[in-house]
Coordinates of all heavy atoms in Angstrom, one line a residue:
M1 N 12.4 -4.5 -60.8 CA 12.1 -5.5 -61.9 C 12.9 -6.8 -61.7 O 12.4 -7.8 -61.9 CB 12.5 -4.9 -63.2 CG 11.5 -3.9 -63.8 SD 9.8 -4.7 -64.0 CE 10.0 -5.6 -65.5
K2 N 14.1 -6.6 -61.2 CA 14.9 -7.8 -61.0 C 14.3 -8.8 -60.0 O 14.4 -10.0 -60.2 CB 16.3 -7.4 -60.5 CG 17.4 -8.4 -60.9 CD 18.8 -7.8 -60.6 CE 19.9 -8.8 -61.0 NZ 21.2 -8.3 -60.7
K3 N 13.7 -8.2 -59.0 CA 13.1 -9.1 -58.0 C 11.9 -9.9 -58.5 O 11.8 -11.0 -58.2 CB 12.7 -8.2 -56.8 CG 12.4 -9.0 -55.5 CD 12.1 -8.0 -54.4 CE 11.8 -8.8 -53.1 NZ 11.4 -7.9 -52.0
V4 N 11.2 -9.2 -59.4 CA 10.0 -9.9 -60.0 C 10.5 -11.0 -60.9 O 9.9 -12.1 -60.8 CB 9.2 -8.9 -60.9 CG1 8.1 -9.6 -61.6 CG2 8.6 -7.8 -60.0
T5 N 11.5 -10.8 -61.7 CA 12.0 -11.8 -62.5 C 12.5 -13.0 -61.7 O 12.2 -14.2 -62.1 CB 13.2 -11.3 -63.4 OG1 12.9 -10.1 -63.9 CG2 13.6 -12.3 -64.5
L6 N 13.2 -12.8 -60.6 CA 13.7 -13.9 -59.8 C 12.5 -14.7 -59.2 O 12.6 -15.9 -59.2 CB 14.5 -13.3 -58.6 CG 15.9 -13.0 -59.0 CD1 16.6 -12.3 -57.8 CD2 16.7 -14.2 -59.4
S7 N 11.4 -14.0 -58.8 CA 10.3 -14.8 -58.2 C 9.6 -15.6 -59.3 O 9.1 -16.7 -59.0 CB 9.4 -13.9 -57.5 OG 8.8 -12.9 -58.4
V8 N 9.6 -15.1 -60.5 CA 9.0 -15.9 -61.6 C 9.8 -17.1 -61.9 O 9.3 -18.2 -62.0 CB 8.9 -15.0 -62.9 CG1 8.6 -15.9 -64.1 CG2 7.9 -13.9 -62.7
V9 N 11.2 -17.0 -61.8 CA 12.0 -18.1 -62.0 C 11.8 -19.2 -60.9 O 11.7 -20.4 -61.2 CB 13.5 -17.7 -62.1 CG1 14.4 -18.9 -62.0 CG2 13.8 -16.8 -63.3
A10 N 11.7 -18.7 -59.7 CA 11.5 -19.6 -58.6 C 10.2 -20.3 -58.7 O 10.1 -21.5 -58.4 CB 11.5 -18.8 -57.3
L11 N 9.1 -19.6 -59.1 CA 7.8 -20.2 -59.3 C 7.9 -21.3 -60.4 O 7.3 -22.3 -60.3 CB 6.8 -19.1 -59.7 CG 5.3 -19.6 -59.7 CD1 4.8 -19.9 -58.3 CD2 4.5 -18.4 -60.3
T12 N 8.6 -20.9 -61.5 CA 8.7 -21.9 -62.6 C 9.4 -23.1 -62.1 O 9.0 -24.3 -62.4 CB 9.4 -21.3 -63.8 OG1 8.9 -20.0 -64.1 CG2 9.4 -22.1 -65.0
M13 N 10.5 -23.0 -61.4 CA 11.2 -24.1 -60.8 C 10.3 -25.0 -60.0 O 10.4 -26.2 -60.0 CB 12.4 -23.6 -60.0 CG 13.4 -22.8 -60.8 SD 14.7 -23.8 -61.4 CE 15.7 -24.1 -60.0
T14 N 9.5 -24.3 -59.1 CA 8.6 -25.1 -58.2 C 7.6 -25.9 -59.1 O 7.4 -27.0 -58.8 CB 7.9 -24.1 -57.3 OG1 8.8 -23.2 -56.7 CG2 7.1 -24.8 -56.2
M15 N 7.1 -25.3 -60.1 CA 6.1 -25.9 -60.9 C 6.7 -27.1 -61.7 O 6.1 -28.2 -61.8 CB 5.5 -25.0 -61.9 CG 4.5 -24.0 -61.3 SD 4.0 -22.7 -62.4 CE 3.0 -23.6 -63.6
M16 N 7.9 -26.9 -62.1 CA 8.6 -28.0 -62.9 C 8.9 -29.2 -62.0 O 8.9 -30.3 -62.4 CB 9.9 -27.4 -63.5 CG 9.7 -26.7 -64.8 SD 11.2 -25.8 -65.3 CE 12.2 -27.3 -65.8
S17 N 9.2 -28.9 -60.7 CA 9.6 -30.0 -59.8 C 8.4 -30.6 -59.2 O 8.5 -31.6 -58.4 CB 10.6 -29.5 -58.8 OG 10.0 -28.5 -58.0
F18 N 7.2 -30.0 -59.4 CA 6.0 -30.5 -58.8 C 5.7 -32.0 -59.2 O 5.7 -32.3 -60.3 CB 4.8 -29.6 -59.2 CG 3.5 -30.1 -58.5 CD1 3.3 -29.8 -57.2 CD2 2.6 -30.8 -59.3 CE1 2.1 -30.2 -56.6 CE2 1.4 -31.2 -58.7 CZ 1.1 -30.9 -57.4
G19 N 5.4 -32.8 -58.2 CA 5.1 -34.2 -58.5 C 6.3 -35.1 -58.7 O 6.2 -36.3 -58.8
Q20 N 7.5 -34.5 -58.6 CA 8.7 -35.3 -58.8 C 9.3 -35.5 -57.5 O 9.7 -34.6 -56.8 CB 9.7 -34.6 -59.8 CG 9.2 -34.6 -61.2 CD 10.2 -34.9 -62.2 OE1 11.4 -34.8 -61.9 NE2 9.9 -35.4 -63.3
T21 N 9.6 -36.7 -57.1 CA 10.2 -37.1 -55.9 C 11.4 -37.9 -56.1 O 11.5 -38.6 -57.1 CB 9.2 -37.9 -55.0 OG1 7.9 -37.4 -55.2 CG2 9.6 -37.9 -53.6
Q22 N 12.4 -37.7 -55.3 CA 13.6 -38.4 -55.4 C 13.4 -39.9 -55.1 O 12.6 -40.2 -54.1 CB 14.7 -37.9 -54.5 CG 16.1 -38.4 -54.8 CD 17.2 -37.7 -54.1 OE1 16.9 -36.7 -53.4 NE2 18.4 -38.2 -54.2
C23 N 13.9 -40.8 -55.9 CA 13.8 -42.2 -55.6 C 14.3 -42.6 -54.3 O 15.3 -42.1 -53.8 CB 14.6 -42.9 -56.7 SG 14.7 -44.7 -56.5
K24 N 13.5 -43.4 -53.5 CA 13.9 -43.7 -52.2 C 14.8 -44.9 -52.1 O 15.3 -45.3 -51.0 CB 12.6 -44.0 -51.3 CG 11.9 -45.3 -51.8 CD 10.7 -45.5 -50.8 CE 10.0 -46.8 -51.3 NZ 8.8 -47.1 -50.4
S25 N 15.1 -45.5 -53.2 CA 16.0 -46.7 -53.2 C 17.4 -46.3 -53.1 O 17.8 -45.2 -53.3 CB 15.8 -47.5 -54.5 OG 16.3 -48.8 -54.4
L26 N 18.3 -47.3 -52.7 CA 19.7 -47.0 -52.6 C 20.4 -47.7 -53.8 O 20.0 -48.7 -54.3 CB 20.2 -47.6 -51.3 CG 19.6 -47.0 -50.0 CD1 20.2 -47.7 -48.8 CD2 19.8 -45.5 -49.9
T27 N 21.5 -47.1 -54.1 CA 22.4 -47.7 -55.2 C 23.3 -48.7 -54.6 O 23.3 -49.0 -53.4 CB 23.2 -46.6 -55.8 OG1 24.2 -46.1 -54.9 CG2 22.4 -45.4 -56.3
K28 N 24.1 -49.3 -55.4 CA 25.0 -50.4 -55.0 C 26.0 -49.9 -53.9 O 26.5 -50.6 -53.1 CB 25.8 -50.9 -56.1 CG 25.0 -51.8 -57.1 CD 25.7 -52.1 -58.3 CE 24.9 -52.8 -59.4 NZ 25.5 -52.9 -60.7
D29 N 26.3 -48.6 -54.0 CA 27.2 -48.0 -53.0 C 26.5 -47.5 -51.8 O 27.1 -46.7 -51.0 CB 27.9 -46.8 -53.7 CG 28.7 -47.3 -54.9 OD1 29.3 -48.4 -54.9 OD2 28.7 -46.5 -55.9
S30 N 25.2 -47.9 -51.6 CA 24.4 -47.5 -50.4 C 24.2 -46.0 -50.3 O 24.1 -45.4 -49.2 CB 25.1 -48.0 -49.1 OG 25.0 -49.4 -49.1
I31 N 24.2 -45.3 -51.4 CA 23.8 -43.9 -51.4 C 22.5 -43.8 -52.1 O 22.1 -44.6 -53.0 CB 24.9 -43.0 -52.1 CG1 25.2 -43.5 -53.5 CG2 26.1 -42.9 -51.3 CD1 26.0 -42.6 -54.4
Q32 N 21.7 -42.7 -51.7 CA 20.4 -42.6 -52.3 C 20.4 -42.4 -53.8 O 21.2 -41.6 -54.3 CB 19.6 -41.5 -51.6 CG 18.1 -41.6 -51.9 CD 17.3 -40.5 -51.2 OE1 17.9 -39.8 -50.4 NE2 16.0 -40.5 -51.4
C33 N 19.6 -43.1 -54.5 CA 19.4 -42.9 -55.9 C 19.1 -41.5 -56.2 O 18.2 -40.9 -55.6 CB 18.4 -43.9 -56.4 SG 18.0 -43.8 -58.1
K34 N 19.7 -40.9 -57.2 CA 19.5 -39.5 -57.6 C 18.4 -39.4 -58.6 O 18.0 -38.2 -59.0 CB 20.8 -38.9 -58.1 CG 21.8 -38.7 -57.0 CD 22.9 -37.8 -57.5 CE 23.9 -37.5 -56.4 NZ 24.9 -38.5 -56.2
N35 N 17.8 -40.4 -59.1 CA 16.8 -40.3 -60.1 C 15.5 -39.8 -59.4 O 15.2 -40.1 -58.3 CB 16.5 -41.7 -60.7 CG 17.6 -42.2 -61.6 OD1 18.3 -41.4 -62.2 ND2 17.8 -43.5 -61.6
T36 N 14.7 -39.1 -60.2 CA 13.4 -38.6 -59.7 C 12.3 -39.5 -60.3 O 12.5 -40.1 -61.3 CB 13.2 -37.1 -60.1 OG1 13.4 -37.0 -61.5 CG2 14.1 -36.2 -59.3
T37 N 11.2 -39.5 -59.6 CA 10.1 -40.3 -60.0 C 8.8 -39.6 -59.8 O 8.7 -38.8 -58.9 CB 10.1 -41.7 -59.2 OG1 9.0 -42.4 -59.6 CG2 10.1 -41.5 -57.7
K38 N 7.8 -40.0 -60.5 CA 6.5 -39.5 -60.3 C 5.5 -40.6 -59.9 O 4.3 -40.4 -59.7 CB 6.0 -38.9 -61.7 CG 6.6 -37.6 -62.1 CD 6.1 -37.1 -63.4 CE 6.7 -35.8 -63.8 NZ 6.2 -35.3 -65.0
T39 N 6.1 -41.7 -59.6 CA 5.2 -42.8 -59.2 C 4.9 -42.8 -57.7 O 5.7 -42.2 -56.9 CB 5.9 -44.2 -59.5 OG1 7.1 -44.3 -58.8 CG2 6.2 -44.3 -61.0
E40 N 3.8 -43.4 -57.3 CA 3.4 -43.4 -55.9 C 4.4 -44.3 -55.1 O 4.5 -44.1 -53.8 CB 2.0 -44.0 -55.8 CG 1.0 -43.0 -56.3 CD -0.4 -43.5 -56.2 OE1 -0.6 -44.5 -55.5 OE2 -1.3 -42.9 -56.9
V41 N 5.0 -45.3 -55.7 CA 5.9 -46.2 -54.9 C 7.2 -45.5 -54.6 O 8.1 -46.1 -53.9 CB 6.1 -47.5 -55.6 CG1 4.8 -48.3 -55.6 CG2 6.6 -47.3 -57.0
L42 N 7.5 -44.3 -55.2 CA 8.7 -43.6 -54.9 C 9.9 -44.3 -55.4 O 11.0 -44.3 -54.7 CB 8.8 -43.1 -53.5 CG 7.7 -42.3 -52.9 CD1 7.9 -41.9 -51.5 CD2 7.5 -41.0 -53.7
L43 N 9.8 -45.0 -56.5 CA 10.9 -45.7 -57.0 C 11.1 -45.3 -58.5 O 10.1 -45.2 -59.2 CB 10.7 -47.2 -57.0 CG 10.7 -47.9 -55.6 CD1 10.3 -49.3 -55.6 CD2 12.1 -47.8 -54.9
C44 N 12.3 -45.0 -58.9 CA 12.5 -44.6 -60.3 C 12.4 -45.8 -61.2 O 12.3 -46.9 -60.7 CB 13.9 -43.9 -60.4 SG 15.3 -45.1 -60.3
H45 N 12.6 -45.5 -62.5 CA 12.4 -46.6 -63.5 C 13.4 -47.7 -63.3 O 13.2 -48.8 -63.7 CB 12.5 -46.0 -64.9 CG 13.8 -45.4 -65.2 ND1 14.1 -44.1 -64.8 CD2 14.8 -45.8 -65.9 CE1 15.3 -43.8 -65.2 NE2 15.8 -44.8 -65.9
V46 N 14.6 -47.3 -62.7 CA 15.6 -48.3 -62.5 C 15.2 -49.3 -61.4 O 15.5 -50.5 -61.4 CB 17.0 -47.7 -62.2 CG1 18.0 -48.7 -61.9 CG2 17.4 -46.8 -63.3
H47 N 14.6 -48.7 -60.3 CA 14.4 -49.5 -59.1 C 13.0 -50.0 -59.0 O 12.7 -50.9 -58.2 CB 14.7 -48.7 -57.9 CG 16.2 -48.4 -57.7 ND1 16.7 -47.1 -57.9 CD2 17.2 -49.2 -57.5 CE1 18.0 -47.2 -57.8 NE2 18.4 -48.4 -57.5
N48 N 12.1 -49.5 -59.8 CA 10.7 -50.0 -59.8 C 10.6 -51.3 -60.6 O 10.7 -51.2 -61.9 CB 9.8 -48.9 -60.3 CG 8.3 -49.3 -60.2 OD1 8.0 -50.4 -59.8 ND2 7.4 -48.4 -60.5
P49 N 10.3 -52.4 -60.0 CA 10.2 -53.7 -60.7 C 9.0 -53.7 -61.7 O 9.0 -54.5 -62.6 CB 10.1 -54.7 -59.6 CG 9.6 -54.0 -58.5 CD 10.1 -52.6 -58.6
N50 N 8.1 -52.8 -61.4 CA 6.9 -52.8 -62.3 C 6.9 -51.9 -63.4 O 6.0 -51.7 -64.2 CB 5.6 -52.5 -61.4 CG 5.4 -53.6 -60.4 OD1 5.6 -54.8 -60.6 ND2 5.0 -53.1 -59.2
H51 N 8.1 -51.2 -63.5 CA 8.2 -50.2 -64.5 C 8.2 -50.7 -65.9 O 9.0 -51.6 -66.3 CB 9.5 -49.3 -64.3 CG 9.7 -48.3 -65.4 ND1 9.1 -47.1 -65.4 CD2 10.5 -48.3 -66.5 CE1 9.5 -46.4 -66.4 NE2 10.3 -47.1 -67.1
V52 N 7.4 -50.2 -66.8 CA 7.3 -50.6 -68.2 C 7.2 -49.4 -69.0 O 6.4 -48.5 -68.8 CB 6.1 -51.6 -68.5 CG1 6.1 -52.0 -69.9 CG2 6.2 -52.8 -67.6
T53 N 8.1 -49.3 -70.0 CA 8.0 -48.1 -70.9 C 7.7 -48.7 -72.3 O 8.0 -49.8 -72.6 CB 9.2 -47.3 -71.0 OG1 10.3 -48.1 -71.5 CG2 9.6 -46.7 -69.6
S54 N 7.1 -47.8 -73.2 CA 6.8 -48.3 -74.5 C 8.1 -48.5 -75.3 O 8.1 -49.2 -76.3 CB 6.0 -47.2 -75.2 OG 6.7 -45.9 -75.1
S55 N 9.2 -48.0 -74.8 CA 10.5 -48.2 -75.5 C 11.1 -49.6 -75.1 O 12.1 -50.0 -75.7 CB 11.5 -47.1 -75.2 OG 11.8 -47.1 -73.9
D56 N 10.5 -50.2 -74.1 CA 11.1 -51.5 -73.8 C 10.8 -52.5 -74.9 O 9.6 -52.8 -75.2 CB 10.5 -52.0 -72.5 CG 11.1 -51.4 -71.3 OD1 12.2 -50.8 -71.4 OD2 10.6 -51.5 -70.2
K57 N 11.8 -53.1 -75.4 CA 11.6 -54.1 -76.5 C 12.1 -55.4 -76.1 O 13.0 -55.5 -75.2 CB 12.4 -53.6 -77.8 CG 11.8 -52.4 -78.4 CD 12.6 -51.9 -79.6 CE 12.1 -50.6 -80.1 NZ 13.0 -50.1 -81.1
V58 N 11.5 -56.4 -76.7 CA 11.9 -57.8 -76.3 C 13.2 -58.1 -77.0 O 13.4 -57.8 -78.2 CB 10.8 -58.8 -76.8 CG1 11.1 -60.2 -76.4 CG2 9.4 -58.4 -76.2
T59 N 14.1 -58.7 -76.2 CA 15.4 -59.1 -76.8 C 15.2 -60.5 -77.4 O 14.7 -61.4 -76.8 CB 16.4 -59.2 -75.7 OG1 16.5 -57.9 -75.1 CG2 17.8 -59.5 -76.3
V60 N 15.6 -60.6 -78.6 CA 15.5 -61.9 -79.3 C 16.9 -62.3 -79.8 O 17.7 -61.5 -80.0 CB 14.5 -61.9 -80.5 CG1 13.1 -61.7 -80.0 CG2 14.9 -60.8 -81.5
I61 N 17.0 -63.6 -80.1 CA 18.2 -64.1 -80.7 C 18.2 -63.8 -82.2 O 17.1 -64.0 -82.8 CB 18.4 -65.6 -80.5 CG1 18.3 -66.0 -79.0 CG2 19.7 -66.1 -81.1 CD1 19.5 -65.5 -78.2
C62 N 19.3 -63.3 -82.7 CA 19.3 -63.0 -84.1 C 18.9 -64.1 -85.0 O 19.3 -65.3 -84.8 CB 20.8 -62.5 -84.5 SG 21.1 -62.2 -86.2
S63 N 18.2 -63.8 -86.1 CA 17.7 -64.9 -86.9 C 18.6 -65.1 -88.1 O 18.3 -65.9 -89.0 CB 16.3 -64.6 -87.4 OG 16.3 -63.3 -88.1
G64 N 19.7 -64.4 -88.1 CA 20.7 -64.5 -89.2 C 21.6 -65.8 -89.1 O 21.6 -66.4 -88.0
T65 N 22.3 -66.1 -90.1 CA 23.3 -67.2 -90.0 C 24.7 -66.7 -90.2 O 24.9 -65.7 -90.9 CB 23.0 -68.3 -91.1 OG1 22.7 -67.6 -92.3 CG2 21.8 -69.1 -90.7
T66 N 25.6 -67.3 -89.6 CA 27.0 -66.9 -89.7 C 27.7 -67.5 -91.0 O 27.1 -68.2 -91.7 CB 27.8 -67.4 -88.5 OG1 27.9 -68.8 -88.6 CG2 27.2 -67.0 -87.2
K67 N 28.9 -67.1 -91.2 CA 29.7 -67.6 -92.4 C 29.8 -69.1 -92.3 O 29.9 -69.7 -93.4 CB 31.1 -67.0 -92.4 CG 31.1 -65.5 -92.7 CD 32.4 -64.9 -92.5 CE 32.4 -63.4 -92.7 NZ 33.6 -62.7 -92.2
K68 N 29.8 -69.7 -91.1 CA 29.9 -71.1 -91.0 C 28.6 -71.8 -91.2 O 28.4 -73.0 -90.9 CB 30.5 -71.5 -89.7 CG 32.0 -71.1 -89.5 CD 32.5 -71.4 -88.1 CE 33.9 -70.9 -88.0 NZ 34.4 -71.0 -86.6
N69 N 27.6 -71.0 -91.5 CA 26.2 -71.6 -91.7 C 25.6 -72.1 -90.5 O 24.8 -73.0 -90.5 CB 26.2 -72.6 -92.8 CG 25.0 -72.6 -93.7 OD1 24.3 -71.5 -93.8 ND2 24.6 -73.7 -94.3
T70 N 26.0 -71.5 -89.3 CA 25.4 -71.8 -88.1 C 24.5 -70.6 -87.7 O 24.8 -69.5 -88.1 CB 26.4 -72.1 -87.0 OG1 27.3 -71.0 -86.8 CG2 27.2 -73.4 -87.3
K71 N 23.6 -70.9 -86.8 CA 22.7 -69.8 -86.4 C 23.5 -68.7 -85.6 O 24.2 -69.1 -84.7 CB 21.6 -70.4 -85.6 CG 20.3 -69.6 -85.7 CD 19.1 -70.4 -85.1 CE 17.8 -69.6 -85.4 NZ 17.8 -68.2 -85.0
C72 N 23.2 -67.5 -85.9 CA 23.9 -66.4 -85.1 C 23.4 -66.4 -83.7 O 22.2 -66.6 -83.5 CB 23.5 -65.1 -85.8 SG 24.2 -63.6 -85.0
K73 N 24.3 -66.2 -82.8 CA 23.9 -66.2 -81.4 C 23.8 -64.9 -80.7 O 23.5 -64.7 -79.6 CB 25.0 -67.0 -80.6 CG 24.9 -68.5 -80.8 CD 26.0 -69.3 -80.1 CE 25.9 -70.7 -80.4 NZ 27.2 -71.4 -80.1
N74 N 23.9 -63.8 -81.5 CA 23.8 -62.5 -81.0 C 22.4 -62.2 -80.6 O 21.4 -62.6 -81.3 CB 24.3 -61.4 -82.0 CG 25.8 -61.4 -82.2 OD1 26.5 -61.7 -81.2 ND2 26.3 -61.2 -83.4
K75 N 22.3 -61.3 -79.6 CA 20.9 -60.9 -79.2 C 20.7 -59.6 -79.8 O 21.5 -58.7 -80.0 CB 20.8 -60.8 -77.7 CG 20.8 -62.2 -77.0 CD 20.8 -62.1 -75.5 CE 20.9 -63.4 -74.9 NZ 21.1 -63.4 -73.4
T76 N 19.4 -59.3 -80.1 CA 19.0 -58.0 -80.7 C 17.7 -57.6 -80.2 O 16.8 -58.4 -79.8 CB 19.0 -58.1 -82.2 OG1 18.6 -56.9 -82.8 CG2 18.0 -59.2 -82.7
K77 N 17.5 -56.3 -80.2 CA 16.2 -55.7 -79.8 C 15.6 -55.1 -81.1 O 14.5 -54.5 -81.0 CB 16.3 -54.6 -78.8 CG 16.6 -55.2 -77.4 CD 16.7 -54.1 -76.3 CE 16.9 -54.7 -75.0 NZ 16.9 -53.7 -73.9
D78 N 16.3 -55.2 -82.2 CA 15.8 -54.6 -83.4 C 14.5 -55.4 -83.9 O 14.4 -56.6 -83.8 CB 16.9 -54.7 -84.5 CG 16.5 -53.8 -85.7 OD1 16.8 -52.6 -85.6 OD2 15.9 -54.3 -86.7
T79 N 13.6 -54.6 -84.5 CA 12.4 -55.2 -84.9 C 12.6 -56.2 -86.1 O 11.7 -57.0 -86.4 CB 11.4 -54.1 -85.4 OG1 12.0 -53.2 -86.2 CG2 10.8 -53.4 -84.2
S80 N 13.7 -56.1 -86.8 CA 14.0 -57.0 -87.9 C 14.4 -58.4 -87.4 O 14.3 -59.3 -88.2 CB 15.1 -56.4 -88.8 OG 16.3 -56.4 -88.0
G81 N 14.7 -58.5 -86.1 CA 15.1 -59.7 -85.6 C 16.6 -60.1 -86.0 O 17.0 -61.2 -85.8
L82 N 17.3 -59.1 -86.4 CA 18.7 -59.3 -86.9 C 19.6 -58.5 -86.0 O 19.3 -57.3 -85.7 CB 18.9 -58.9 -88.3 CG 18.1 -59.8 -89.3 CD1 18.2 -59.2 -90.7 CD2 18.7 -61.2 -89.4
C83 N 20.8 -59.0 -85.6 CA 21.7 -58.3 -84.8 C 22.4 -57.3 -85.7 O 22.3 -57.2 -86.9 CB 22.7 -59.2 -84.2 SG 23.9 -59.9 -85.4
H84 N 23.3 -56.5 -85.1 CA 24.0 -55.4 -85.8 C 24.9 -56.0 -86.9 O 25.2 -55.3 -87.9 CB 24.8 -54.5 -84.9 CG 25.9 -55.3 -84.1 ND1 25.5 -56.0 -83.0 CD2 27.2 -55.5 -84.3 CE1 26.7 -56.6 -82.5 NE2 27.7 -56.3 -83.3
N85 N 25.3 -57.2 -86.8 CA 26.2 -57.8 -87.8 C 25.3 -58.2 -89.1 O 25.9 -58.2 -90.2 CB 26.8 -59.1 -87.3 CG 27.9 -58.8 -86.3 OD1 28.5 -57.7 -86.3 ND2 28.1 -59.7 -85.4
H86 N 24.1 -58.5 -88.9 CA 23.3 -59.0 -90.0 C 22.3 -57.9 -90.6 O 21.8 -58.2 -91.6 CB 22.5 -60.2 -89.6 CG 23.4 -61.4 -89.4 ND1 23.7 -61.9 -88.2 CD2 24.0 -62.1 -90.3 CE1 24.5 -63.0 -88.3 NE2 24.8 -63.1 -89.6
R87 N 22.2 -56.8 -89.9 CA 21.4 -55.8 -90.5 C 22.1 -55.1 -91.6 O 23.3 -54.9 -91.5 CB 21.0 -54.7 -89.4 CG 19.8 -55.2 -88.5 CD 19.2 -54.1 -87.9 NE 20.1 -53.2 -87.1 CZ 20.4 -53.5 -85.8 NH1 19.9 -54.5 -85.2 NH2 21.2 -52.7 -85.2
K88 N 21.4 -54.7 -92.6 CA 22.1 -54.0 -93.7 C 21.8 -52.5 -93.7 O 21.0 -52.0 -94.5 CB 21.6 -54.6 -95.1 CG 22.0 -56.0 -95.3 CD 21.3 -56.7 -96.4 CE 21.6 -58.1 -96.5 NZ 20.8 -58.8 -97.4
D89 N 22.4 -51.8 -92.7 CA 22.3 -50.4 -92.7 C 23.6 -49.8 -92.3 O 24.3 -49.3 -93.1 CB 21.1 -49.9 -91.8 CG 21.2 -50.5 -90.4 OD1 22.3 -50.8 -89.9 OD2 20.2 -50.6 -89.8
Ligands
ZN101 ZN1 16.2 -45.3 -58.2
ZN102 ZN1 23.3 -61.9 -86.2

């Protein structure tokens, strides 16, 4: 029985890794990137210049104003357009 269980685990592992390839790009230290990718270009989301995810949000300058009544210069990705200093949560 033990042997059967092991082969099932091995099969599951193979299926899980199917279609995932290690990124072919190199890091700053000239070692191969450890991220896996499913793209044909074999580049992970970090190294693929065409990578776009739905979670990518546009960074905008905060629309709030500071105590000195000048425009806040903080950048934010929040949909409210307000930085962490100006959001009320
Ligand atoms: Zn990479
Ligand atoms: Zn702000």
Side-chain angles (χ1 to χ4, degrees):
M1 278 306 278
K2 204 171 185 182
K3 198 176 180 184
V4 174
T5 312
L6 278 173
S7 62
V8 168
V9 171
L11 186 68
T12 312
M13 296 270 285
T14 310
M15 285 171 70
M16 279 172 69
S17 60
F18 180 76
Q20 289 223 337
T21 321
Q22 192 169 354
C23 173
K24 68 177 180 182
S25 194
L26 300 178
T27 66
K28 288 171 189 167
D29 302 322
S30 291
I31 53 170
Q32 192 178 359
C33 176
K34 290 192 175 84
N35 289 329
T36 53
T37 178
K38 289 181 178 179
T39 62
E40 290 178 14
V41 289
L42 301 181
L43 293 171
C44 73
H45 62 282
V46 176
H47 293 110
N48 185 355
N50 298 319
H51 176 79
V52 179
T53 63
S54 53
S55 62
D56 280 348
K57 291 176 186 170
V58 182
T59 305
V60 294
I61 306 291
C62 173
S63 58
T65 45
T66 66
K67 289 172 188 167
K68 294 176 183 174
N69 216 24
T70 56
K71 210 168 184 314
C72 178
K73 285 173 184 164
N74 287 329
K75 289 175 182 174
T76 180
K77 288 185 178 183
D78 195 85
T79 48
S80 66
L82 294 169
C83 74
H84 59 280
N85 289 332
H86 287 107
R87 282 200 303 273
K88 292 167 187 170
D89 51 31

